[in-house]
Amino acid sequence: MMALTISVLQLAVCILAFPMYLLNFLGMWNWICKKWFPHFLAKFIVIYNKQMASKKRELFSNLQEFAGPSGKLSLLELGCGTGANFKFYPPGCRVACIDPNPNFEKFLVKSIAQNRHLQFERFVVAAGENMHQVADGSMDVVVCTLVLCSVKNEKQILQEVRRVLRPVLNPVWYLLFDGCSLTRESWKTLEQAGFSKLKLQHLQAPLSWKLMRPHIYGYAVK
């Protein structure tokens, strides 16, 4: 009985979705979706932000720590949508936005007007897989929320993110601290080493130098 119910529901969904599949086959759905989706997201994100506000405040609470030597934080939001994250960014933050859908621009204008604590730089219409409009090493932070689930090439986007991020102190650190690498992900090597048992824990050590706080500790059994 349950199998029959599921089959009926699947058939009903297919019938209801048939117009969308047809429009997509005819090459029209993408255009319709780009027009309609910003309006839908503007409504949806109000509810989403209310329910996720505490998590977003926690997530973005230390953004200012990544500011460059000038003290000004340069932030690129990838797949910015309606600008729903703006209110969680620190005062004085310089924000640039990139999204492949140009129809989000009017919603961004509204969000900018509501978030005067930010310094808005520009809105770039482009896909995250090719952000050539953004210079190498020009950003302190790249924010990407509710985006990677819908992109065409995650790996290419993450390569672009690495390209536009400001270089860390790793090269200088390597020379000063006897070859130590700030960016080495040693836990991955340990996980791949073939130990019969491995227990690791990540923690933020209570050290005054923020760069030295990420630690791992644990043990391995042959």
Side-chain angles (χ1 to χ4, degrees):
M1 184 64 181
M2 180 63 71
L4 178 61
T5 303
I6 293 173
S7 296
V8 171
L9 287 173
Q10 288 176 334
L11 179 61
V13 170
C14 288
I15 292 171
L16 290 172
F18 177 75
M20 289 188 294
Y21 285 113
L22 179 61
L23 289 169
N24 188 53
F25 176 77
L26 297 174
M28 300 171 61
W29 179 248
N30 187 53
W31 179 84
I32 294 172
C33 190
K34 281 188 178 295
K35 288 284 187 181
W36 162 81
F37 186 65
H39 295 274
F40 164 77
L41 190 62
K43 301 292 185 182
F44 168 80
I45 210 68
V46 172
I47 301 171
Y48 181 85
N49 259 3
K50 284 181 180 179
Q51 297 176 349
M52 292 293 291
S54 62
K55 294 296 183 183
K56 284 195 173 187
R57 279 192 291 269
E58 180 184 354
L59 176 64
F60 299 131
S61 62
N62 66 334
L63 281 180
Q64 190 59 43
E65 295 179 7
F66 298 96
S70 68
K72 286 278 189 177
L73 181 72
S74 293
L75 182 150
L76 173 67
E77 181 156 359
L78 174 58
C80 55
T82 61
N85 291 326
F86 286 0
K87 65 181 180 180
F88 300 101
Y89 296 157
C93 176
R94 293 191 297 242
V95 178
C97 294
I98 189 164
D99 200 289
N101 191 343
N103 298 299
F104 276 120
E105 186 167 13
K106 66 178 181 181
F107 295 93
L108 280 176
V109 170
K110 182 178 178 181
S111 291
I112 293 163
Q114 294 171 344
N115 293 278
R116 296 294 185 182
H117 66 291
L118 303 178
Q119 181 181 334
F120 187 74
E121 299 282 316
R122 57 175 174 156
F123 172 53
V124 178
V125 179
E129 289 88 347
N130 182 10
M131 300 188 289
H132 67 272
Q133 302 94 331
V134 183
D136 295 1
S138 60
M139 294 293 163
D140 299 314
V141 172
V142 176
V143 172
C144 179
T145 61
L146 300 179
V147 171
L148 293 180
C149 62
S150 61
V151 301
K152 293 180 180 179
N153 191 324
E154 285 181 316
K155 290 183 179 180
Q156 182 63 35
I157 283 181
L158 295 178
Q159 287 175 2
E160 280 288 88
V161 168
R162 290 191 65 184
R163 178 185 65 78
V164 303
L165 281 172
R166 178 172 54 84
V168 295
L169 294 175
N170 195 53
V172 176
W173 194 272
Y174 180 87
L175 295 174
L176 292 176
F177 288 87
D178 196 27
C180 177
S181 173
L182 281 172
T183 57
R184 181 172 296 170
E185 298 175 331
S186 300
W187 66 91
K188 293 184 178 180
T189 307
L190 288 165
E191 290 169 351
Q192 297 167 6
F195 292 108
S196 63
K197 186 175 182 181
L198 177 67
K199 185 174 182 180
L200 297 175
Q201 184 173 340
H202 294 253
L203 77 153
Q204 292 291 316
L207 301 171
S208 55
W209 281 20
K210 294 175 183 178
L211 288 172
M212 296 178 63
R213 289 178 184 173
H215 276 57
I216 59 169
Y217 69 89
Y219 64 86
V221 177
K222 183 178 178 181

